[in-house]
């Protein structure tokens, strides 16, 4: 059985209209200079600016009008 | 967990067979009295493959006469789910199309009601009902792993590793829920509240097991996962706020707070790297993804309607 060859896995992924995914261990500095360590296999960094969990995504981009999404 | 109580003729005979070990081939000829009887029977037969029952012999898991009963009930359930599901065109951009399909689905929200209006007693009801799935959270989808090619398999494991605590059982999502239940004065043991579970909860559970246990339905399982994750962050935030409003312990809110953050990641993975990868390899599976996603949304609507009706409430 021939399996499709997986493409190389990116460590940073920009999700259209949504967050930036970070794969692996990173330290993220937020806008106020505070440091946040990732603690999951993949973390989602807010790009719309409206998350209540900065610097992480909390899904808020989905309730924004299309034009305000990243 | 002990075997559940029967809810009709079929469940009575199947559960008697399970607890006595006396399984007869005539079981497959018994008709269920109605949806409740059918769903509790199917739930009990599925449970043999998860953790089993203390009062049922483990060797019955693969008994051919029980599998025959299960197959009959599964065929009925699958036919119902397919009948309810609309034909949907997700367009050329699968991820955008699936996100948009999920976002446009509008239904009553139990989380919104909990945030603003629910009483302590109503939330206790809800936690008992939710415990049926949350105490086995992500277990059904684990069955899909060996059925996938390398790309989607690695992607699903990346999500599942987070669900299962990243190697730390204290962080396992099902365990976080158990801690929340215990802190709230509820029983944290697996399946403790099965006899109180409304038929809509049984059906939600059974649909997940159905999709996950049949290789041909693997894309439906992943579509279900995508819709589940993509409708979790916002409602989890509302649940957390409602729990705080009512003075529930921090352990219970912590479960939902974790899901606000985790599922903002998981929805991207489930839609893009898991379901998206499966469909990229085999575009003929799109409609199965839709079946799974729609089923997730539709069964939650049915649950929400039933729960709100039982409380004499409306989701304003």
């Amino acid at each position: 059985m021939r399996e499709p060859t997986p493409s190389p896995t990116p460590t940073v992924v920009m999700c259209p209209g949504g967050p930036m995914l970070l794969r692996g261990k990173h330290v993220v500095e937020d806008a106020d200079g505070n440091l946040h360590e990732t603690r999951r296999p993949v973390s989602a960094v807010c790009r719309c600016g409206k998350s209540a969990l900065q610097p992480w995504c909390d899904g808020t981009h989905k309730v924004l009008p299309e034009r305000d999404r990243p | 967990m002990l075997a559940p109580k029967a809810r009709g003729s079929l469940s009575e005979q199947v559960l008697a067979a399970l607890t006595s070990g006396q399984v007869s081939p005539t079981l497959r000829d018994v008709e269920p009295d109605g949806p409740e009887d059918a769903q509790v029977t199917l739930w009990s037969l599925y449970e043999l493959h998860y953790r089993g029952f203390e009062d049922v012999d483990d060797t019955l898991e693969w008994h051919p006469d029980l599998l025959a009963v299960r197959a009959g009930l599964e065929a009925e359930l699958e036919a119902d789910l397919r009948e309810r599901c609309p034909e949907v065109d997700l367009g050329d951009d699968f991820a955008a199309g699936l996100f948009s399909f999920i976002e446009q689905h509008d239904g009553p929200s139990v989380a919104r009601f909990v945030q603003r209006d629910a009483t302590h007693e109503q939330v206790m009801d809800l936690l008992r009902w939710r415990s049926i799935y949350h105490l086995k959270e992500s277990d059904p989808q684990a069955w899909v792993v060996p059925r996938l090619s390398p790309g989607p398999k690695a992607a699903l494991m990346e999500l599942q590793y987070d669900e299962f605590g990243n190697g730390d059982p204290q962080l396992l999502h099902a365990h976080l829920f158990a801690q929340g239940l215990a802190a709230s004065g509820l029983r944290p043991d697996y399946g403790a509240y099965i006899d109180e579970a409304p038929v809509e909860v049984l059906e939600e559970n059974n649909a997940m097991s159905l999709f996950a246990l049949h290789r041909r339905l693997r894309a439906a399982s992943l579509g279900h996962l995508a819709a589940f994750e993509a409708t979790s962050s916002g409602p989890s935030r509302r649940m957390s706020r409602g729990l705080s409003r009512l003075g529930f312990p921090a352990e219970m809110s912590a479960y939902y707070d974790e899901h606000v953050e985790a599922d903002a990641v998981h929805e991207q993975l489930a839609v893009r790297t898991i379901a998206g990868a499966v469909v990229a390899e085999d575009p003929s599976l799109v409609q199965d993804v839709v079946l799974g996603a729609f089923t997730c949304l539709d069964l939650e609507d049915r649950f929400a309607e039933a729960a709100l009706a039982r409380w004499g409430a409306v989701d304003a």
Side-chain angles (χ1 to χ4, degrees):
Chain A
M1 191 167 61
R2 201 165 54 93
E3 295 273 22
T5 310
S7 342
T9 303
T11 49
V12 180
V13 178
M14 301 297 179
C15 300
M20 172 175 73
L21 301 182
L22 291 180
R23 187 167 270 115
K25 207 166 147 51
H26 299 270
V27 179
V28 176
E29 185 177 311
D30 67 22
D32 300 322
N34 302 312
L35 300 181
H36 303 265
E37 272 186 53
T38 58
R39 50 186 189 88
R40 307 178 181 283
V42 184
S43 304
V45 177
C46 172
R47 288 203 300 148
C48 74
K50 305 290 187 205
S51 169
L53 286 182
Q54 297 292 342
W56 313 122
C57 171
D58 68 354
T60 298
H61 58 272
K62 292 196 289 183
V63 298
L64 300 178
E66 202 81 38
R67 64 174 188 283
D68 294 338
R69 298 188 189 186
Chain B
M1 175 184 26
L2 295 172
K5 288 200 177 78
R7 302 194 192 188
S9 319
L10 176 62
S11 51
E12 196 173 310
Q13 294 194 44
V14 168
L15 288 160
L18 287 175
T19 50
S20 68
Q22 305 294 312
V23 182
S24 150
T26 58
L27 273 181
R28 70 182 76 186
D29 303 323
V30 182
E31 286 291 322
D33 294 346
E36 236 178 281
D37 190 24
Q39 295 308 315
V40 81
T41 306
L42 184 54
W43 189 90
S44 305
L45 293 170
Y46 278 144
E47 191 51 41
L48 300 177
H49 304 288
Y50 288 97
R51 307 278 290 273
F53 303 105
E54 288 159 48
D55 49 348
V56 175
D57 182 347
D58 286 340
T59 60
L60 294 180
E61 181 182 352
W62 298 101
H63 194 294
D65 294 324
L66 294 172
L67 293 178
V69 175
R70 197 188 96 187
L73 294 168
E74 285 180 311
E76 291 275 324
L77 176 61
E78 186 180 344
D80 282 349
L81 300 178
R82 287 189 183 280
E83 166 112 26
R84 294 169 190 168
C85 182
E87 280 277 333
V88 178
D89 180 6
L90 296 182
D92 296 334
D93 182 341
F94 172 82
L98 184 54
F99 268 123
S100 161
F101 170 65
I102 296 166
E103 279 168 38
Q104 282 166 21
H105 184 95
D106 196 21
S109 165
V110 168
R112 205 154 42 207
F113 179 71
V114 168
Q115 178 181 354
R116 298 175 189 159
D117 301 312
T119 64
H120 189 273
E121 196 184 339
Q122 289 166 341
V123 174
M124 294 289 267
D125 284 344
L126 179 63
L127 295 173
R128 285 193 292 268
W129 298 334
R130 292 292 197 207
S131 72
I132 306 303
Y133 177 62
H134 288 336
L135 293 177
K136 66 164 76 145
E137 191 164 315
S138 292
D139 288 351
Q141 294 77 24
W143 278 322
V144 182
V145 175
R147 294 159 182 175
L148 301 173
S149 62
K153 179 184 280 180
L156 178 56
M157 281 310 299
E158 190 169 55
L159 184 154
Q160 289 287 67
Y161 193 58
D162 204 24
E163 290 283 346
F164 293 144
N166 298 305
D168 180 353
Q170 293 293 327
L171 299 178
L172 196 105
H173 283 181
H175 182 70
L176 294 180
F177 195 75
Q179 286 179 309
L181 289 175
S184 305
L186 292 166
R187 287 176 59 186
D189 41 318
Y190 184 88
Y193 295 110
I194 188 60
D195 291 330
E196 297 181 29
V199 65
E200 293 81 10
V201 167
L202 299 175
E203 203 174 50
E204 283 186 309
N205 269 249
N206 288 340
M208 275 189 263
S209 299
L210 169 72
F211 293 154
L213 274 172
H214 293 266
R215 185 171 53 81
R216 72 186 164 83
L217 295 173
R218 63 198 178 283
S221 183
L222 300 178
H224 186 290
L225 175 69
F228 196 97
E229 300 287 1
T231 50
S232 174
S233 284
S236 292
R237 182 174 40 240
R238 289 190 271 280
M239 282 296 301
S240 176
R241 287 182 184 159
L243 290 165
S244 301
R245 173 178 66 78
L246 291 164
F248 271 82
E251 290 89 338
M252 198 70 253
S253 308
Y255 168 86
Y256 289 99
D257 292 339
E258 161 65 9
H259 283 76
V260 175
E261 187 183 316
D263 293 346
V265 181
H266 294 176
E267 65 179 350
Q268 299 296 338
L269 300 178
V271 170
R272 295 175 195 284
T273 64
I274 303 171
V278 164
V279 166
E281 285 177 11
D282 184 351
S284 72
L285 294 174
V286 172
Q287 197 52 41
D288 282 353
V289 171
V290 169
L291 171 66
F294 177 80
T295 295
C296 175
L297 302 170
D298 180 57
L299 293 182
E300 178 57 20
D301 288 350
R302 289 164 190 266
F303 167 72
E305 278 162 22
L308 293 168
R310 187 178 295 208
W311 295 327
V314 282
D315 167 36

